[in-house]
Amino acid sequence: MDAIDVSSLHDSMRKYGIPGVFVPVDPRNRAGAWRVVDPVDQRDITDAVRARVAAADLQQPTRGFVIAG
């Protein structure tokens, strides 16, 4: 994923409380591709994080107000 995707995914991860650390695939090329790694063991969890964000985006609000008019 590129820098634009990183920003959007990071915002969603914060919104839903999904852990992960962004690191560039090539540390010498920060303008290139990025991935999400587990902060504990540094394994690549990019696909799992994207799936969790997509699932969270599909969830309907579970509480709120209904105003009949």
Side-chain angles (χ1 to χ4, degrees), residues 61-67:
T62 57
R63 53 184 182 171
F65 295 98
V66 176
I67 301 172

Side-chain angles (χ1 to χ4, degrees), residues 7-49:
S7 177
S8 175
L9 186 59
H10 183 253
D11 290 343
S12 293
M13 288 170 65
R14 284 186 21 207
K15 177 179 176 182
Y16 299 122
I18 300 171
V21 177
F22 288 93
V23 295
V25 172
D26 178 3
R28 294 168 288 167
N29 181 13
R30 293 191 171 267
W34 288 72
R35 62 188 172 141
V36 183
V37 297
D38 186 294
V40 175
D41 61 10
Q42 299 299 306
R43 70 190 158 86
D44 188 350
I45 57 171
T46 304
D47 292 336
V49 167

